[in-house]
Amino acid sequence: MTRLTLWLVIALVLAACLSVASGKIWVPLDAWTAADPRSIIIVELRLPRTLLALLVGGALGLSGAVMQGYLRNPLADPGLFGVSSGAAFGAVVSLYFGYAVQLWLLPAFALAGAGVTMALLALIAGRSGSLILFTLAGMILTSITGSLTALAISLAPTPFVTSQIVTWLMGALTDRSWDDVRVALPLIVVGAALLATTARSLDALTLGEQAARSVGVDPGRLQLVVIAGTALCVGAAVASAGIIGFVGLIVPHMVRPFAGNRPSAILLPSALGGAVLLTVADSLVRLAPTVSELRLGIAMSMLGGPFFLYLLIRMRRRLA
């Protein structure tokens, strides 16, 4: 275990403890036992929310690191694939028709949206493995699903449905339960396992496509693994927490100076860093002195927007 990984694991434990204890009502350590009636707050509210923050943050951080390595673009983010917006559109459809009253239907629709988007992405990009075609296909699908989501909002049958859709799209971990953890956990584990297998191929891609082919990398197969792994991770994250952006952009940049420039070296640190970032951010939105809880997706956008602008300015200075 490298020093960076060790520090991130320590930070992860501290962030999880902060998340479990913090909120409008602080729960001290001596109240975490079953004998204390306040322990029900921990078991039924704080623990599932904390675990979900760790899972979603880790999935988005790992997906962002893989995307940046695969596309060889430091500004790549999971939203570029269109999987996030496709999953969001699937969830919006379930809210629009009132299917979300059933516990498993909203996640099922969100995952179906991610799966359809993934299949279309693979179909459009084909087997060539072209990075340009792959990127353009993702941008097109993002535009289409985004416009369909806006159409659903504008045609919502009642103001209540409109409010439901808009609130959900903002992204949050409020009122999440163990059922949400059960939905997200297996999907994220499988998706993360697929993305972890790309480490060697991502390193080879740094030498160029032709050099990667010469050492046995199959671009078509790598593309399918990246699509499938990202779809599972991002689809599960969106299904359980709504749209939470910029984690996959911010975290790889934060860990890269300490882990090195090899794509494989930043995969695990990005997953751990994403889990830490989202868990701390979720704790802070709970502690913010606001009348109602600030939506986590909005908080991450407020953090990620300036960070993205900073990266663009720094890249412009390097090219100048």
Side-chain angles (χ1 to χ4, degrees):
M1 181 179 292
T2 64
R3 182 176 299 178
L4 174 62
T5 303
L6 179 61
W7 280 111
L8 286 172
V9 169
I10 294 173
L12 192 69
V13 173
L14 294 176
C17 291
L18 172 66
S19 178
V20 171
S22 64
K24 299 299 182 184
I25 299 176
W26 281 81
V27 182
L29 185 61
D30 59 2
W32 291 18
T33 62
D36 194 301
R38 290 174 294 179
S39 64
I40 194 172
I41 298 176
I42 299 293
V43 176
E44 297 298 330
L45 297 177
R46 300 280 174 82
L47 273 179
R49 183 168 179 166
T50 299
L51 288 175
L52 206 56
L54 294 172
L55 286 170
V56 171
L60 294 177
L62 177 60
S63 299
V66 170
M67 283 187 60
Q68 290 180 16
Y70 177 68
L71 298 176
R72 284 165 282 170
N73 183 346
L75 300 181
D77 182 79
L80 182 63
F81 277 91
V83 177
S84 180
S85 57
F89 175 65
V92 166
V93 169
S94 73
L95 291 168
Y96 183 91
F97 290 104
Y99 297 145
V101 295
Q102 299 293 328
L103 178 63
W104 295 91
L105 281 181
L106 188 146
F109 270 76
L111 291 171
V116 170
T117 307
M118 175 189 70
L120 289 173
L121 188 60
L123 184 64
I124 296 171
R127 297 183 178 181
S128 64
S130 170
L131 295 176
I132 295 177
L133 184 59
F134 187 75
T135 304
L136 289 175
M139 293 175 63
I140 292 169
L141 291 173
T142 299
S143 177
I144 292 173
T145 52
S147 62
L148 290 173
T149 299
L151 178 65
I153 293 173
S154 65
L155 297 179
T158 66
F160 175 73
V161 172
T162 302
S163 176
Q164 266 194 315
I165 294 174
V166 172
T167 301
W168 186 86
L169 287 174
M170 290 179 184
L173 294 172
T174 309
D175 300 326
R176 296 309 189 263
S177 66
W178 288 108
D179 291 324
D180 297 289
V181 176
R182 293 187 191 100
V183 170
L185 179 59
L187 297 170
I188 289 177
V189 168
V190 174
L194 285 174
L195 294 179
T197 64
T198 65
R200 176 181 171 276
S201 298
L202 295 179
D203 285 345
L205 274 180
T206 59
L207 304 175
E209 288 188 46
Q210 294 300 322
R213 288 177 186 269
S214 68
V215 297
V217 176
D218 182 350
R221 180 182 177 277
L222 176 61
Q223 185 181 93
L224 288 176
V225 173
V226 170
I227 292 173
T230 303
L232 286 169
C233 285
V234 177
V238 172
S240 56
I243 296 180
I244 298 176
F246 293 105
V247 176
L249 173 69
I250 296 173
V251 175
H253 281 278
M254 294 177 65
V255 302
R256 190 172 285 115
F258 305 99
N261 291 318
R262 283 191 305 115
S264 62
I266 69 168
L267 296 189
L268 179 58
S270 292
L272 294 173
V276 172
L277 175 63
L278 201 64
T279 305
V280 171
D282 185 51
S283 300
L284 293 179
V285 298
R286 275 182 276 164
L287 295 172
T290 54
V291 177
S292 59
E293 185 177 303
L294 178 66
R295 309 298 289 185
L296 182 58
I298 295 175
M300 291 308 302
S301 295
M302 292 172 62
L303 177 64
F307 186 84
F308 186 73
L309 181 61
Y310 161 75
L311 292 178
L312 285 176
I313 294 174
R314 190 175 68 171
M315 183 175 293
R316 180 172 177 266
R317 287 176 177 173
R318 287 181 178 178
L319 295 175

